[in-house]
């Protein structure tokens, strides 16, 4: 057997090895692989009954010939997404905001094919999340939330949903990155994964091997329009808080300082010995940041004693801060470090949204 043939064997059959020119099977590897496979099965089975399909209908874009009344009666083809039950007793399902945005009618399809009409919708465009309410009769149960803060690069995760309308689809991958921002929502500190996510997966759960939800599958980075190995999910730490506020108050309560930031460039991060530091690009007049004396160009290093780890991390820290409670912010200005104190205010509902 020539060298090229052996190379192919090693690539396509990693469980085989050569000893004295004879191929042997490494059976001692099998138990570990079977254990991992069993972990996948158990995690998927725990979650699948609570994963649903979300179908929505919205008015189509009118042609120039269409008048007002005809516009309202013209519907685009149904959009399909995913979701999962977060409160079976009260009938609440979490999904992505873009799945039900502008919908005139929405339907939740339960595992097994039973359908429920959406009775009400509570949206949070700032995080691209939404909660819909359905009749709770006969719902199988609620998902268990996991701890997305414990996730580390390389951890196994499962993405569950209905890509291309194929319900109860499970794909596996690892956590490829954390704290990503790709410009789809105002607040982003996304989990990146190579678990396959495709059109229709939006709103479905990203699950750890305990069968606990650690994220909400939201978007993909692609040149072709379908999966190319880079998917993103809203972390459970954010999704759970958003969902609880939407259920309890119909909106998400957030604090704000009134500033825009970007991550420092590589050379600046090296000088500071902190690559996650951010620089202020603008300050809202008469906002809490302006009142505290913060300016464009200030570099924010720490907030509340915690080191800043990027723009998304800073946003999350500020939005969950106590309203009216002084917050210490360590900055660098003109190569000198100092600490300023700002008092976050309750964020206006339309703050940061382009739509009126």
């Amino acid at each position: 057997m020539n060298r090229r043939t052996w190379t192919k064997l090693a690539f396509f059959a990693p469980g085989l090895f050569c000893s004295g020119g004879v191929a042997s099977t490494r059976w001692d590897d099998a138990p570990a692989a079977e254990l991992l496979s069993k972990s996948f099965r158990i995690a998927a089975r725990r979650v699948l009954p609570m994963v649903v399909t979300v179908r929505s209908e919205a008015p189509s874009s009118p042609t120039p010939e269409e008048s007002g009344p005809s516009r309202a009666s013209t519907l685009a083809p149904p959009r399909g997404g995913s979701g999962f039950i977060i409160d079976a007793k009260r009938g609440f399902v979490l999904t992505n905001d873009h799945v039900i945005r502008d919908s005139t009618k929405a339907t939740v399809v339960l595992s097994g094919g039973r359908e429920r009409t959406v009775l009400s919708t509570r949206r949070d465009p700032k995080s691209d999340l939404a909660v819909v309410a359905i009749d709770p009769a006969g719902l199988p149960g609620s998902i268990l939330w996991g701890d997305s803060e414990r996730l580390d690069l390389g951890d196994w995760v499962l993405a569950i949903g209905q890509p291309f309308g194929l319900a109860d689809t499970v794909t596996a991958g690892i956590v490829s990155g954390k704290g990503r921002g790709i410009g789809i929502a105002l607040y982003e500190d996304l989990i990146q994964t190579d678990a396959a996510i495709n059109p229709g997966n939006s709103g479905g759960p990203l699950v750890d091997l305990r069968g606990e939800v650690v994220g909400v599958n939201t978007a993909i980075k692609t040149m072709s329009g379908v999966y190319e190995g880079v998917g993103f999910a809203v972390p459970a730490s954010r999704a759970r808080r958003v969902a609880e506020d939407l259920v309890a108050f119909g909106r998400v309560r957030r604090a704000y300082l009134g500033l825009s930031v970007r991550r420092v460039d590589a050379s600046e991060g090296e000088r500071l010995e902190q690559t996650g530091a951010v620089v202020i690009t603008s300050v809202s007049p008469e906002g809490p940041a302006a009142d505290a004396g913060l300016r464009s160009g200030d570099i924010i290093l720490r907030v509340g004693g915690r080191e800043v780890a990027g723009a998304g991390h800073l946003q999350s820290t500020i939005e969950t801060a106590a309203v009216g409670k002084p917050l210490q912010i360590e900055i660098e200005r003109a190569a000198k470090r100092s600490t300023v104190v700002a008092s976050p205010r309750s964020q206006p509902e339309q703050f940061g949204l382009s739509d009126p």
Side-chain angles (χ1 to χ4, degrees):
M1 188 174 288
N2 61 38
R3 183 183 298 273
R4 180 173 297 177
T5 303
W6 277 112
T7 301
K8 288 183 179 178
L9 265 178
F11 183 78
F12 289 110
L16 302 179
F17 69 96
C18 175
S19 176
V22 178
S24 302
T25 304
R26 297 180 59 180
W27 294 109
D28 53 337
D29 284 347
E34 290 173 357
L35 183 60
L36 180 60
S37 180
K38 184 177 180 180
S39 297
F40 289 163
R41 289 197 304 271
I42 292 173
R45 288 172 181 170
R46 284 176 177 169
V47 180
L48 274 168
M50 280 72 78
V51 179
V52 304
T53 298
V54 181
R55 293 201 310 258
S56 63
E57 297 177 354
S60 63
S61 299
T63 64
E65 294 80 17
E66 288 179 323
S67 61
S70 65
R71 176 178 182 178
S73 62
T74 303
L75 291 178
R79 297 175 295 183
S82 303
F84 51 93
I85 301 167
I86 57 172
D87 189 333
K89 291 183 178 179
R90 294 186 287 176
F92 289 116
V93 171
L94 183 63
T95 186
N96 277 135
D97 180 64
H98 72 257
V99 171
I100 51 86
R101 184 182 301 147
D102 301 324
S103 63
T104 56
K105 178 182 178 182
T107 304
V108 167
V109 184
L110 304 176
S111 180
R114 294 174 297 154
E115 296 189 358
R116 296 284 190 274
T117 298
V118 170
L119 305 175
S120 65
T121 301
R122 306 171 189 194
R123 301 174 50 217
D124 183 48
K126 296 178 184 180
S127 63
D128 192 26
L129 295 172
V131 169
V132 299
I134 59 174
D135 184 346
L139 295 185
S142 309
I143 59 94
L144 294 176
W145 287 107
D147 185 358
S148 57
E149 298 299 312
R150 291 179 55 188
L151 285 180
D152 205 348
L153 302 188
D155 284 348
W156 281 104
V157 286
L158 305 179
I160 305 178
Q162 61 107 27
F164 305 112
L166 301 170
D168 297 337
T169 295
V170 181
T171 59
I174 62 169
V175 174
S176 308
K178 296 178 67 177
R180 304 298 198 197
I182 58 175
I184 62 169
L186 180 63
Y187 289 104
E188 294 182 336
D189 47 355
L190 304 174
I191 300 166
Q192 180 184 332
T193 179
D194 66 352
I197 296 174
N198 278 297
N201 271 115
S202 290
L206 189 71
V207 181
D208 64 18
L209 295 191
R210 297 180 181 87
E212 298 175 347
V213 175
V214 292
V216 181
N217 301 319
T218 296
I220 57 176
K221 196 80 169 178
T222 176
M223 300 296 289
S224 64
V226 294
Y227 170 74
E228 292 184 8
V230 182
F232 300 95
V234 178
S237 57
R238 177 180 299 279
R240 184 175 187 176
R241 192 181 76 83
V242 167
E244 289 174 348
D245 267 15
L246 288 176
V247 168
F249 309 105
R251 68 179 189 88
V252 181
R253 302 170 302 168
R254 292 184 171 96
Y256 89 112
L257 290 179
L259 49 80
S260 298
V261 299
R262 64 166 175 80
R263 202 179 193 118
V264 296
D265 59 33
S267 60
E268 192 77 339
E270 185 176 3
R271 180 186 68 80
L272 295 166
E273 297 183 345
Q274 185 180 336
T275 57
V278 299
V279 59
I280 299 176
T281 57
S282 66
V283 177
S284 300
E286 301 180 0
D291 290 349
L294 291 169
R295 309 174 190 169
S296 294
D298 289 347
I299 297 174
I300 300 180
L301 303 170
R302 288 175 176 79
V303 175
R306 296 179 59 191
E307 189 172 283
V308 173
H313 175 264
L314 176 64
Q315 287 179 326
S316 180
T317 300
I318 292 174
E319 70 170 310
T320 57
V323 172
K325 184 177 181 179
L327 190 63
Q328 289 193 330
I329 303 174
E330 184 181 332
I331 65 169
E332 181 180 282
R333 177 186 298 166
K336 294 182 179 180
R337 299 194 177 192
S338 62
T339 299
V340 299
V341 178
S343 296
R345 298 178 195 162
S346 181
Q347 186 182 112
E349 198 159 350
Q350 292 301 313
F351 177 82
L353 296 179
S354 57
D355 295 333

